[in-house]
Amino acid sequence: MSPASLADSAPTQDERDLAQYESRIDRPPQLKVAEFSREGRLRHVIFSGQFPVDLLEDLADTADKIRLLSKSRTGQDFLLNLLRHKRAMLYFTQPSTRTFLSFMAACQILGMTCNEVRDPTTSSETKGETRFDSIRMFSSYFDLVIMRSPIARLAEACAYLMNDLERTAARSVPIVNAGSGADEHPTQALLDVYTLQRTFQFAAPQDSPAASRLDALRRDYPALRTGLTGKVYGFCGDIGRGRTVRSLAALLAQYEGVTLAFVAPGHPALRLSDDLRRRLEQRGVRVVELESLESSLDGASAVEQFDALYMTRIQKEHNLETDAAEFARIDFSQYKLSLDQVRRMKPYAPILHPFPRDQHFGEIPPEIDNDPRAMYFRQARNGMWVRAALLAHVFNVDHQVARFYHEQYGDWTATRRIES
Ligand code: CP
């Protein structure tokens, strides 16, 4: 091997930077949670395992309050002053519409100033600057870095970098993972859970103490209860490569008595990974793997049994040439939702999708959009509210939101009944 080719195969500084955190990254999630918190609140947001159920409830409560306050000029002005002194950097080197824009809108609701690097060819990384140097530079100018990267665990490594800097009294800011490789998308899971929390209140504007929507549903589903426990959640599509599925499944696994049913082709790249299955089962979750939405589940077609259905896109951009022949034999039409199937779903079961959906594949055709159970546009809007709630939590202004809300509206629980 020539000296030149030896030099070519040497690890880059970016690779060495990541490698130095490998042993910390490889630890089980429960050993890492404390390092990403300070005084009982999240400092860095890296994976969904950082969100116990009580924190999910608190975030939903704050999101509800921000949502309602945003409806009035007085509320908007209050929110705009909350974090006026803070600046956020959005470092998104992988395409994004919803996560980028909803984080930006969330920052704007709370008065934060934002800046962005979306295309690394416009940054000094083209001159050889490492990602870690970029992050340190962002932390020099901003109070928070929200980052999306195609590199799994890069956000986690950046959080360790910030913790190490903090120990030396150097400037250090919170890191928020807005999607890292095929690994995790924790804030997507937050908005998915928030959408489920709101849906499973079964509240309707016409509800009265004498007659509620839940009472009406219970005539056909006597065991139906409010909340996320005891429900059957279906996930359909590209399960193996979907970071949103990984993050959401980990959150749902915290609720008692849930069944998680994964509908995916049997190919190892696309079906539920062994490590996620093991982690879910260790938590006592009933895990079911199915080949199609019509596969039998508890005596009926799976699609008719779900209390909620989470559709996903087949992520063809990750297809490997070596899989092409096997993929060609898969009947992918089984991972598309049809109008007929929607008609057979439970009348209250929300249809979720992290989006984008793929117009060429058509996993959810637009004719389903008008069904009241089609929740995906509302779900995306919920992302703005729950991300604003997350920022309020990280910067420790969530009780100010609660206090002001109480002053304005009195009844703290009333927000849960407000339609989006
Ligand atoms: N759901 C989601 O992460 O969408 P974007 O890729 O558009 O941000």
Side-chain angles (χ1 to χ4, degrees), residues 91-112:
Y91 177 46
F92 274 58
T93 56
Q94 199 183 32
S96 168
T97 298
R98 278 145 293 273
T99 314
F100 178 83
L101 291 175
S102 62
F103 259 121
M104 181 169 271
C107 288
Q108 289 165 344
I109 288 168
L110 300 177
M112 290 178 77

Side-chain angles (χ1 to χ4, degrees), residues 258-332:
V258 298
T259 296
L260 302 187
F262 297 95
V263 182
H267 190 281
L270 303 173
R271 68 165 191 245
L272 181 67
S273 68
D274 291 338
D275 78 302
L276 182 55
R277 172 188 256 280
R278 218 174 13 254
R279 278 202 280 136
L280 295 172
E281 286 178 340
Q282 277 167 359
R283 298 203 67 133
V285 174
R286 178 183 174 220
V287 177
V288 182
E289 287 184 76
L290 303 168
E291 287 271 345
S292 134
L293 287 168
E294 298 299 344
S295 298
S296 175
L297 177 64
D298 300 333
S301 278
V303 74
E304 298 169 22
Q305 300 284 32
F306 297 146
D307 293 301
L309 173 59
Y310 194 88
M311 295 296 296
T312 65
R313 180 174 68 86
I314 304 292
Q315 300 185 31
K316 350 185 240 300
E317 66 274 26
H318 299 308
N319 287 0
L320 301 175
E321 271 182 33
T322 45
D323 290 332
E326 284 181 58
F327 275 32
R329 285 194 285 276
I330 296 172
D331 175 8
F332 281 101

Side-chain angles (χ1 to χ4, degrees), residues 92 95-100 148 178 185 188 191 243-244 353-356 387:
F92 274 58
S96 168
T97 298
R98 278 145 293 273
T99 314
F100 178 83
R148 168 171 289 194
H185 194 349
Q188 175 70 41
L191 71 96
R243 60 191 176 194
T244 65
H353 190 309
F355 268 35
R387 286 176 171 127

